[in-house]
Coordinates of all heavy atoms in Angstrom, one line a residue:
P134 N 3.3 9.9 5.0 CA 4.6 9.7 5.7 C 4.6 10.3 7.1 O 5.8 10.4 7.6 CB 5.6 10.5 4.8 CG 4.7 11.6 4.2 CD 3.3 11.1 4.1
D135 N 3.5 10.5 7.7 CA 3.5 11.0 9.1 C 4.3 10.0 10.0 O 4.1 8.8 10.0 CB 2.1 11.1 9.6 CG 2.0 11.7 10.9 OD1 2.9 11.7 11.7 OD2 0.8 12.2 11.3
P136 N 5.3 10.5 10.8 CA 6.0 9.7 11.7 C 5.2 8.8 12.6 O 5.6 7.7 13.0 CB 7.0 10.7 12.4 CG 7.1 11.8 11.5 CD 5.8 12.0 10.8
E137 N 4.0 9.4 12.9 CA 3.1 8.7 13.9 C 2.7 7.3 13.4 O 2.5 6.4 14.1 CB 1.9 9.6 14.2 CG 0.8 8.9 15.1 CD 1.4 8.7 16.5 OE1 2.3 9.3 16.9 OE2 0.8 7.8 17.2
F138 N 2.6 7.2 12.0 CA 2.2 6.0 11.4 C 3.2 4.9 11.8 O 2.9 3.8 12.1 CB 2.1 6.1 9.9 CG 1.8 4.8 9.2 CD1 0.5 4.5 8.8 CD2 2.8 3.9 8.8 CE1 0.2 3.3 8.2 CE2 2.5 2.8 8.2 CZ 1.2 2.5 7.9
F139 N 4.5 5.3 11.7 CA 5.6 4.3 12.0 C 5.8 4.0 13.4 O 6.2 2.9 13.8 CB 6.9 4.7 11.3 CG 6.7 4.6 9.7 CD1 6.4 5.7 9.0 CD2 6.9 3.4 9.1 CE1 6.2 5.6 7.6 CE2 6.7 3.2 7.8 CZ 6.4 4.4 7.0
I140 N 5.4 5.0 14.3 CA 5.4 4.8 15.7 C 4.3 3.7 16.0 O 4.6 2.8 16.8 CB 5.1 6.1 16.5 CG1 6.3 7.1 16.3 CG2 4.8 5.8 18.0 CD1 6.0 8.4 16.9
R141 N 3.2 3.9 15.4 CA 2.1 2.9 15.6 C 2.5 1.5 15.1 O 2.2 0.5 15.7 CB 0.8 3.3 14.9 CG 0.2 4.6 15.5 CD -0.2 4.5 16.9 NE -1.3 3.6 17.0 CZ -2.6 3.9 17.0 NH1 -3.0 5.2 16.8 NH2 -3.6 3.0 17.1
L142 N 3.2 1.5 14.0 CA 3.6 0.2 13.4 C 4.7 -0.5 14.4 O 4.6 -1.7 14.6 CB 4.3 0.4 12.0 CG 4.9 -0.8 11.4 CD1 3.9 -1.9 11.2 CD2 5.6 -0.4 10.0
V143 N 5.6 0.3 14.9 CA 6.6 -0.3 15.8 C 5.9 -0.8 17.0 O 6.2 -1.9 17.6 CB 7.6 0.7 16.2 CG1 8.5 0.2 17.4 CG2 8.5 1.1 15.0
D144 N 4.9 -0.1 17.6 CA 4.1 -0.5 18.7 C 3.4 -1.9 18.4 O 3.3 -2.8 19.2 CB 3.1 0.5 19.2 CG 3.7 1.7 19.8 OD1 4.9 1.6 20.3 OD2 3.1 2.8 19.9
L145 N 2.8 -1.9 17.2 CA 2.1 -3.1 16.8 C 3.0 -4.3 16.7 O 2.6 -5.5 17.1 CB 1.5 -2.9 15.4 CG 0.7 -4.1 14.8 CD1 -0.6 -4.4 15.6 CD2 0.3 -3.8 13.3
S146 N 4.2 -4.1 16.3 CA 5.2 -5.2 16.1 C 5.7 -5.8 17.5 O 6.0 -6.9 17.6 CB 6.4 -4.8 15.3 OG 7.2 -3.9 16.1
G147 N 5.8 -4.8 18.5 CA 6.2 -5.2 19.8 C 7.8 -5.5 19.8 O 8.3 -6.2 20.6
T148 N 8.5 -5.0 18.7 CA 9.9 -5.2 18.7 C 10.6 -3.9 18.4 O 10.0 -2.8 18.2 CB 10.2 -6.2 17.5 OG1 11.6 -6.6 17.5 CG2 9.8 -5.7 16.1
D149 N 11.9 -4.0 18.3 CA 12.7 -2.8 18.0 C 12.6 -2.4 16.5 O 12.5 -3.3 15.6 CB 14.2 -3.0 18.3 CG 14.5 -3.2 19.8 OD1 13.7 -2.7 20.6 OD2 15.5 -3.9 20.1
P150 N 12.6 -1.1 16.2 CA 12.5 -0.6 14.8 C 13.5 -1.3 13.9 O 13.2 -1.6 12.7 CB 12.8 0.9 14.9 CG 12.3 1.2 16.3 CD 12.7 0.1 17.1
S151 N 14.7 -1.5 14.4 CA 15.8 -2.1 13.6 C 15.5 -3.5 13.2 O 16.2 -4.1 12.3 CB 17.1 -2.0 14.3 OG 17.2 -2.7 15.5
D152 N 14.6 -4.2 13.9 CA 14.2 -5.6 13.6 C 13.1 -5.6 12.6 O 12.6 -6.8 12.3 CB 13.8 -6.3 14.9 CG 15.0 -6.6 15.7 OD1 16.1 -6.7 15.2 OD2 14.8 -6.6 17.0
I153 N 12.6 -4.5 12.1 CA 11.5 -4.5 11.1 C 12.0 -4.2 9.7 O 12.8 -3.2 9.6 CB 10.4 -3.4 11.5 CG1 9.9 -3.7 13.0 CG2 9.3 -3.4 10.5 CD1 9.0 -2.6 13.5
V154 N 11.6 -4.9 8.8 CA 11.8 -4.6 7.3 C 10.5 -4.2 6.7 O 9.5 -4.9 6.7 CB 12.4 -5.9 6.5 CG1 12.5 -5.5 5.1 CG2 13.6 -6.3 7.2
Y155 N 10.5 -2.8 6.3 CA 9.2 -2.4 5.8 C 9.3 -2.4 4.2 O 10.3 -1.9 3.6 CB 9.0 -0.9 6.2 CG 7.5 -0.5 5.8 CD1 6.4 -0.9 6.5 CD2 7.3 0.4 4.7 CE1 5.1 -0.6 6.2 CE2 6.0 0.8 4.4 CZ 4.9 0.3 5.1 OH 3.6 0.6 4.8
V156 N 8.3 -3.0 3.6 CA 8.3 -3.3 2.2 C 7.3 -2.5 1.5 O 6.1 -2.5 1.9 CB 8.1 -4.8 1.8 CG1 8.2 -5.1 0.4 CG2 9.0 -5.7 2.7
G157 N 7.7 -1.6 0.6 CA 6.7 -0.7 -0.2 C 7.2 -0.2 -1.4 O 8.4 -0.3 -1.8
D158 N 6.3 0.3 -2.3 CA 6.6 0.8 -3.6 C 6.8 2.3 -3.7 O 7.4 2.7 -4.7 CB 5.5 0.4 -4.5 CG 4.2 1.1 -4.1 OD1 3.7 0.9 -3.0 OD2 3.6 1.9 -4.9
H159 N 6.5 3.0 -2.7 CA 6.5 4.5 -2.8 C 7.7 5.1 -2.0 O 7.7 5.0 -0.8 CB 5.2 5.1 -2.3 CG 4.9 6.5 -2.8 ND1 5.8 7.5 -2.6 CD2 3.9 7.1 -3.4 CE1 5.3 8.6 -3.1 NE2 4.1 8.4 -3.6
P160 N 8.7 5.6 -2.7 CA 9.9 6.1 -1.9 C 9.6 7.1 -0.8 O 10.0 7.1 0.3 CB 10.8 6.7 -3.0 CG 10.5 5.9 -4.2 CD 9.0 5.6 -4.1
A161 N 8.8 8.1 -1.2 CA 8.5 9.2 -0.3 C 7.5 8.8 0.8 O 7.6 9.3 2.0 CB 7.8 10.4 -1.1
N162 N 6.6 7.8 0.6 CA 5.7 7.4 1.7 C 6.2 6.2 2.4 O 5.9 6.0 3.6 CB 4.4 7.1 1.0 CG 3.5 8.2 0.7 OD1 3.8 9.4 1.1 ND2 2.5 8.1 0.0
D163 N 7.1 5.4 1.8 CA 7.6 4.2 2.4 C 9.0 4.1 2.8 O 9.3 3.9 4.0 CB 7.3 3.0 1.5 CG 5.8 2.8 1.1 OD1 4.9 3.1 1.9 OD2 5.5 2.4 -0.1
V164 N 9.9 4.4 1.9 CA 11.3 4.3 2.2 C 11.8 5.3 3.1 O 12.4 5.0 4.2 CB 12.1 4.3 0.9 CG1 13.6 4.3 1.2 CG2 11.8 3.1 0.0
L165 N 11.6 6.6 2.7 CA 12.2 7.7 3.5 C 11.7 7.8 5.0 O 12.4 7.8 6.0 CB 12.0 9.0 2.9 CG 12.8 9.2 1.6 CD1 12.6 10.6 1.0 CD2 14.3 9.0 1.8
P166 N 10.3 7.8 5.2 CA 9.8 7.8 6.6 C 10.1 6.6 7.4 O 10.3 6.7 8.6 CB 8.3 8.1 6.4 CG 8.0 7.6 5.1 CD 9.2 7.8 4.2
A167 N 10.1 5.5 6.8 CA 10.4 4.2 7.5 C 11.9 4.2 8.0 O 12.2 3.9 9.1 CB 10.2 3.0 6.6
K168 N 12.8 4.7 7.1 CA 14.2 4.8 7.5 C 14.4 5.8 8.6 O 15.1 5.6 9.5 CB 15.0 5.2 6.2 CG 15.2 4.1 5.2 CD 16.0 3.0 5.6 CE 17.5 3.3 5.7 NZ 18.4 2.2 6.1
A169 N 13.7 6.9 8.5 CA 13.8 8.0 9.5 C 13.3 7.4 10.9 O 13.8 7.9 11.9 CB 12.9 9.2 9.1
A170 N 12.4 6.5 10.8 CA 11.9 5.9 12.1 C 12.8 4.8 12.6 O 12.5 4.2 13.6 CB 10.4 5.3 11.8
G171 N 13.9 4.5 11.8 CA 14.8 3.4 12.3 C 14.5 2.0 11.8 O 15.2 1.1 12.2
L172 N 13.6 1.9 10.8 CA 13.3 0.6 10.2 C 14.2 0.3 9.1 O 14.8 1.3 8.5 CB 11.8 0.6 9.7 CG 10.7 0.4 10.7 CD1 10.6 1.6 11.6 CD2 9.4 0.2 10.0
R173 N 14.4 -0.9 8.7 CA 15.1 -1.2 7.4 C 14.0 -1.3 6.4 O 12.8 -1.5 6.6 CB 15.8 -2.5 7.6 CG 16.8 -2.5 8.8 CD 17.5 -3.9 9.0 NE 18.6 -4.0 8.1 CZ 19.5 -5.0 8.1 NH1 19.3 -6.0 8.9 NH2 20.6 -5.0 7.3
T174 N 14.4 -1.1 5.1 CA 13.4 -0.9 4.1 C 13.8 -1.7 2.8 O 15.0 -1.8 2.5 CB 13.2 0.5 3.7 OG1 14.5 1.1 3.2 CG2 12.7 1.4 4.8
A175 N 12.8 -2.2 2.1 CA 12.9 -2.8 0.8 C 12.0 -2.1 -0.2 O 10.7 -2.0 0.1 CB 12.5 -4.3 0.9
H176 N 12.6 -1.4 -1.2 CA 11.8 -0.7 -2.2 C 11.4 -1.7 -3.3 O 12.2 -2.3 -3.9 CB 12.5 0.4 -2.8 CG 11.7 1.2 -3.8 ND1 12.0 1.1 -5.2 CD2 10.6 1.9 -3.7 CE1 11.2 1.8 -5.8 NE2 10.3 2.3 -5.0
L177 N 10.1 -1.8 -3.5 CA 9.5 -2.7 -4.5 C 9.2 -2.0 -5.8 O 8.4 -1.1 -5.8 CB 8.2 -3.4 -3.9 CG 7.5 -4.4 -4.8 CD1 8.3 -5.6 -5.2 CD2 6.2 -4.8 -4.1

Side-chain angles (χ1 to χ4, degrees):
D135 186 339
E137 179 63 24
F138 178 94
F139 292 95
I140 291 173
R141 298 293 296 268
L142 175 57
V143 172
D144 287 344
L145 178 66
S146 74
T148 189
D149 292 332
S151 61
D152 288 329
I153 303 172
V154 177
Y155 192 73
V156 185
D158 63 301
H159 198 306
N162 281 350
D163 300 328
V164 175
L165 293 182
K168 290 290 289 185
L172 284 65
R173 304 178 84 180
T174 59
H176 179 249
L177 177 62

